[in-house]
Amino acid sequence: MEAAQAALDKKAKDTVVLELKDLTIIADYFVVCSGESTTQVKAIVENVEKKLRGHRQKPAGIEGLNTARWVLMDYGDVIVHVFEEKTRAYYELEKFWLDAPRIQVSEKLEVRSEK
């Protein structure tokens, strides 16, 4: 949830956490969110990295930061996807994981589980 909160701190939109631990070995959770522009996407990524570094967590890798349309941050059990809004709408990543329980988060990090 720290990654989701860090994204929300930079006004990320449509932030959702997908619980994948019973569906795949890729990761236990995906955090998916959007920024209104590539500048905001970069700000979200930088804040997630800063906040998690404060918890002594470093990403195994960060991909896509050069174009900032879809940035993937790999924290092992948690993978953070930060999309530019149009790119998220185009790829519809969440549709690949329709069976995954969704944890919808709001600006105050109120968590609501959905399935």
Side-chain angles (χ1 to χ4, degrees), residues 25-48:
I25 61 170
I26 295 171
D28 289 345
Y29 297 95
F30 274 4
V31 175
V32 184
C33 63
S34 302
E36 293 181 354
S37 66
T38 56
T39 303
Q40 186 182 14
V41 167
K42 287 180 182 180
I44 292 166
V45 169
E46 289 171 5
N47 201 53
V48 169

Side-chain angles (χ1 to χ4, degrees), residues 60-111:
I62 297 177
E63 298 293 331
L65 194 54
N66 290 339
T67 60
R69 299 217 184 277
W70 177 359
V71 180
L72 184 145
M73 306 175 77
D74 183 354
Y75 284 93
D77 291 340
V78 177
I79 297 178
V80 180
H81 299 269
V82 185
F83 286 94
E84 183 269 332
E85 284 180 311
K86 292 177 186 172
T87 305
R88 184 174 181 180
Y90 179 80
Y91 285 104
E92 297 181 323
L93 179 69
E94 294 97 323
K95 286 193 175 184
F96 288 104
W97 302 101
L98 290 175
D99 293 341
R102 296 176 190 294
I103 303 168
Q104 195 74 36
V105 287
S106 68
E107 288 183 32
K108 297 178 186 175
L109 201 61
E110 297 168 6
V111 177

